[in-house]
Amino acid sequence: MPGMVAFGRRWGIASDDLVFPGSFELFVRVLWWIGTLALYTLHEGKFDCSGGRVLHSYLVVLLILLAFIILSLCAIVYVSAQGTITNPGPRRSIPVLVYVRAMLYVPELIWAILGAIWVSDDSQGCQPATHIGVGVLFVFDPLGSTHPGPQSQELLGVRDLESSQGSQLLSTARSVAVRVWESRLRLLCCCLPRDESHRAAFSSIAQLVSGFFSDTDLVPSDIAAGLALLHQEQDKMEQCRDPDEALSHSPSSPIAELEKATHCMQFAVAAYGWPMYVYSNPLTGACRLSRDCCKTQSAEYDIVGGDNMGCHFSSVLHSTGLQYRDFIYVSFHNQIYEIPFFVALDHKRAAVLVAIRGTLSLRDLLTDLSADCENLPVEGVSGACYAHKGMSQAASYICKKLLNDGILNQAFTIAPEYKLVITGHSLGGGTASLLAILLRSSFPTLQCYAFSPPGGLMSKALADFSKEFVVSVVLGKDLVPRLSYPNMEDLKRRILKMVSNCNKPKYRILLQGCWYELFGGEPDDFPTEMDNRRKEELNQPLLGEESLLIRSSSSYQGLASEESPVHGSHLPLYLPGRILHITEDGPARRSCFSQVRYRVEWSSETVFRSVLISPRMMADHMPDAVLLSLRSLTQDRPFNLCPSSFEEEIVLDHRSTIRLSSP
């Protein structure tokens, strides 16, 4: 449903968004009316004091005023619950009801002021209890008489779907959206310096964020309803779908790669420093670090920036189990496009290991969101070579540090027989993959393990090139490996399809969606608008979806289309290297204390070309969850292997808690 337009402005709510706020205010107003009636009944016959006639008249008028407010709210809630998202016809009377309700705020405010004046007048001769009761009940309005709450701001009016004035206002809003978002980013990042790199990042991110839904007339509640519908639709499809087939001719067994990946993941987690260590060891982590923090070790070790107290480095030592002498370089310097990393000698695996930190600061987030494409020419790679701008810049920064500052030279001078291994999680995983590509020509035997890397990372040519030396590890329905602009455009198209087809009112969609998310059950089989159409009309396109578009979109496809996302003006980006996909084996819903069974298999990048809606879409991205799943797949393996698929699939039991390595 298009957003309301009133008083020359578009609002972020629609005419069917008034059910819940209206019901809440109705509940409070009814309680208020009952309390006022009880107060009036309690003092019946006791209004003979000085000023009693005024009090009697005040309560009577207030009861009548509240009755009118309650009636208007009942009408608003009832009418707002009619129709569907794209069929506002039954809600045509909402504007009249809304403005009637808005006008009732005027006498309510006036009456509240009069009540406050009467209570504060000490010349009245009524009992103090009466003064206190009236003052508390009417001066301190639960909904805020003098500061109207969301209801008073929302009930401002609506526009028809065909309103040219609304379209003009939306067009004007789009033209200033970039500047608005840029101002918001500057305000949010007011503590950051205002240099050229930050200004360019703000501008790039503002264009990306403001332009995503600029071709639709959706309000936030429409998007929430679409996500609820899409989640249940995806769950229904998953129940009917055959298990995904593993790649049958993988160059190596998942078993061998899992052991290496589990080992490297410990370093990727350690790169997060003390916050992740304390989070993973809530009872003992702070005490262990407190013994080592504030110790001066700069004379022996090159700790660069961001770790004045030494807590980050202490947590790295505890998490990895390495000694001070094993570290070649440790940097916690953090700016936009410049992320922390460390270089250490991993004697257990005979490797010079470079671990890059994931997103942990506001500067890291700006690097993540700088999602424009940037050319990344690589010698020997045929085809277009481009990558995520923010991570490409971060990889170039680390590459220059490693080569120009002689860090890798120093490491291989100490251990010339060791091989180079690069690892990282999330932002660190994406940067590690691009860094591996940049260093491949100088170190042909290097290996990279990228955990939960972003989906919109590199071009197809670079992704194919990286399959020789990069392994990506993805857990479950993790959102980040599925994040790319084409995938988000596809998600928008699917949301438009779901909300335009469903013939249930929005409040029912949201209520049933919340119940499904909290308590599970079978996905609801929502009827569609097509169920009510005559047979001869079935070949005609529905107008609901197109009514939610305010201009033509290159990402838009028809209702019947189920093709892969179109790319429009945005270049397609892919996950790096070969992909190990870890999924839970068993029911989609389980109790918090039940054991989990995991399975792992080689997967294709096509599996990650759409966003999956799930309560675990963010939990599966957390580094501790990835480490937990990897350890469960490698510990006690001889006793828990699935006997039917030794080489291609592993299924193991594990308990639901685990702790990071400690010394």
Side-chain angles (χ1 to χ4, degrees), residues 220-264:
S221 60
D222 295 335
I223 300 173
L227 291 174
L229 292 170
L230 184 58
H231 181 202
Q232 297 179 62
E233 180 71 17
Q234 288 177 344
D235 283 356
K236 285 192 295 183
M237 294 175 62
E238 187 175 352
Q239 292 175 2
C240 302
R241 183 183 300 153
D242 294 332
D244 295 329
E245 295 183 359
L247 299 182
S248 57
H249 299 290
S250 300
S252 63
S253 167
I255 299 174
E257 295 294 352
L258 274 175
E259 294 177 344
K260 299 175 186 176
T262 305
H263 181 74
C264 289

Side-chain angles (χ1 to χ4, degrees), residues 56-76:
H56 179 272
S57 301
Y58 184 88
L59 292 176
V60 170
V61 174
L62 184 61
L63 285 170
I64 297 173
L65 180 60
L66 286 175
F68 278 109
I69 292 175
I70 290 171
L71 289 175
S72 67
L73 288 172
C74 289
I76 287 173

